[in-house]
Amino acid sequence: MERRTIGAPSLQVGAVGLGCMPMHWAYTASARRREGSLEAIHAALDLGMNLLDTADMFGPFTNELLMGRVLRERRADAFVSTKCGLLVGDQHIVANGHPGYVRRACDASLRRLRTDVIDLYQLHRPDPEVPVEETWGAMADLVRAGKVRSLGFCAVGAYAGRRPSPIRAGRLVTGAERYRTTVSQLERVQQVFPISAVTAELSVWTPQARETLLPWCAARGVGFLAAQPLGSGFLTGTLKPGQGFEPEDVRARHPRFTAEAMAGNQVLVAELRRVARRHGPEVSAAQVALAWVLAQGSQVVAVPGTKHARWVAENARAASLQLTAADLAGIAALPAAREAW
């Protein structure tokens, strides 16, 4: 698989990585199977998808433990990305950016992952009660101590960490506004220690990062890890309006996954399918969606999440799909996705 550089020449990963969140968090709990998830991770490594993206909160902790079973045998094959900064309670999630917590969280992740170094350690969310420079400084100390190779920052859609409405004063909120807070934080932490990668949503139906955040990364040689590049499954074309979701599934509460919104957004899937047909009967809408993400810049890495080896294999093939100018123009002409995400 094509390799892409994030932050420094020594940090190279496959153009498509594996997001491990669905294995233990957020989606369809009844479909989670430990052995199936292990198979998916092994399949990713076999196919050159060496970036394995997890977090201590996934489970919490159980996803890192699962990954540790794989890394015990295949550490040399993997580029390990995990995150700190969020604590999970019974009914809530809170940020913790205190330096002492960051150090303890890193040591705990190293034990669960069964490794002596984390390739990319990301700040999941800044703590509003702690200056972000203090949190980042503690993370930089982990690099100096040899426990971490590089640092990453997970972008929030601005406005003090709350999801913004897509409409403000009767107009659409732009990408520049959506990521205003994140860019400010990135500028601050960059003065403390270099950022190697920024993680943010980027997909056909959530393209706002292209306006400000992606150019910021490109201008500074910072990698961009595209989260949810398949729109939480919608852009695969496998979800049907009104199908319903399990209560614990985050899509059960998101306005884009109501029956009405899903029906209205089928135009996006229809165009992805049209593009796929032009490239041959074996090409899927999901692969076109991933290829679109990869076409946004040489520093962009798509990180679709899955717990199934068959989808891992399909996602891997997207790395070799080259979209034409006509393909990209057709996607660019699509209407904005309906409802806030």
Side-chain angles (χ1 to χ4, degrees), residues 179-251:
Y179 288 108
R180 181 178 56 207
T181 297
T182 294
V183 169
S184 173
Q185 291 167 336
L186 291 172
E187 296 283 4
R188 290 162 59 188
V189 301
Q190 186 80 320
Q191 302 304 311
V192 177
F193 193 87
I195 302 167
S196 291
V198 171
T199 294
E201 268 190 75
L202 180 63
S203 71
V204 169
W205 79 346
T206 312
Q208 290 86 352
R210 295 192 305 165
E211 293 185 38
T212 300
L213 199 55
L214 190 53
W216 189 95
C217 292
R220 294 160 179 80
V222 173
F224 187 96
L225 305 187
Q228 295 172 258
L230 296 176
S232 294
F234 181 80
L235 299 176
T236 67
T238 60
L239 302 180
K240 306 300 180 186
Q243 71 174 58
F245 298 96
E246 295 180 8
E248 298 83 4
D249 194 311
V250 294
R251 293 170 294 188

Side-chain angles (χ1 to χ4, degrees), residues 23-339:
M23 299 175 185
H24 290 97
W25 188 259
Y27 300 107
T28 322
S30 65
R32 296 172 191 160
R33 300 288 185 273
R34 182 179 62 180
E35 295 307 315
S37 294
L38 286 170
E39 182 182 352
I41 298 173
H42 280 291
L45 295 178
D46 291 342
L47 293 165
M49 299 166 65
N50 64 326
L51 173 63
L52 304 179
D53 186 68
T54 185
D56 56 5
M57 72 168 288
F58 296 164
F61 311 129
T62 49
N63 192 247
E64 287 187 334
L65 288 167
L66 180 80
M67 191 179 295
R69 292 182 56 184
V70 177
L71 297 179
R72 179 178 55 184
E73 303 171 358
R74 305 189 62 175
R75 182 63 183 91
D77 298 331
F79 184 99
V80 180
S81 168
T82 193
K83 309 174 189 71
C84 71
L86 289 178
L87 299 177
V88 180
D90 290 338
Q91 300 293 330
H92 63 278
I93 299 173
V94 297
N96 188 335
H98 290 89
Y101 161 74
V102 168
R103 290 188 289 270
R104 292 191 300 273
C106 180
D107 288 341
S109 288
L110 288 168
R111 288 192 298 271
R112 288 187 291 266
L113 292 167
R114 302 190 190 189
T115 186
D116 57 1
V117 64
I118 294 165
D119 296 308
L120 178 66
Y121 201 42
Q122 299 194 66
L123 179 59
H124 217 154
R125 291 291 184 272
D127 185 342
E129 304 300 325
V130 179
V132 70
E133 293 88 346
E134 290 186 18
T135 305
W136 198 254
M139 296 174 70
D141 287 341
L142 297 172
V143 179
R144 300 184 186 101
K147 297 180 179 181
V148 170
R149 292 181 64 203
S150 61
L151 300 183
F153 197 99
C154 293
V156 183
Y159 311 122
R162 293 178 287 113
R163 288 192 180 274
S165 167
I167 298 177
R168 168 172 286 198
R171 60 183 177 80
L172 290 176
V173 172
T174 67
E177 293 171 303
R178 184 181 296 269
Y179 288 108
R180 181 178 56 207
T181 297
T182 294
V183 169
S184 173
Q185 291 167 336
L186 291 172
E187 296 283 4
R188 290 162 59 188
V189 301
Q190 186 80 320
Q191 302 304 311
V192 177
F193 193 87
I195 302 167
S196 291
V198 171
T199 294
E201 268 190 75
L202 180 63
S203 71
V204 169
W205 79 346
T206 312
Q208 290 86 352
R210 295 192 305 165
E211 293 185 38
T212 300
L213 199 55
L214 190 53
W216 189 95
C217 292
R220 294 160 179 80
V222 173
F224 187 96
L225 305 187
Q228 295 172 258
L230 296 176
S232 294
F234 181 80
L235 299 176
T236 67
T238 60
L239 302 180
K240 306 300 180 186
Q243 71 174 58
F245 298 96
E246 295 180 8
E248 298 83 4
D249 194 311
V250 294
R251 293 170 294 188
R253 299 179 296 280
H254 271 299
R256 278 199 183 166
F257 287 96
T258 64
E260 181 181 5
M262 289 177 70
N265 286 325
Q266 287 298 313
V267 63
L268 305 179
V269 176
E271 177 60 23
L272 295 178
R273 285 175 170 154
R274 279 193 290 271
V275 173
R277 286 194 294 271
R278 290 201 290 266
H279 287 270
E282 301 302 318
V283 178
S284 68
Q287 289 169 332
V288 173
L290 292 176
W292 179 90
V293 168
L294 296 178
Q296 303 311 304
S298 61
Q299 83 281 20
V300 177
V301 176
V303 191
T306 185
K307 50 187 173 287
H308 300 293
R310 62 171 176 162
W311 300 133
V312 167
E314 179 175 312
N315 294 341
R317 291 194 295 272
S320 60
L321 177 60
Q322 298 295 318
L323 299 183
T324 67
D327 296 335
L328 294 172
I331 295 172
L334 287 169
R338 293 179 56 179
E339 301 299 338

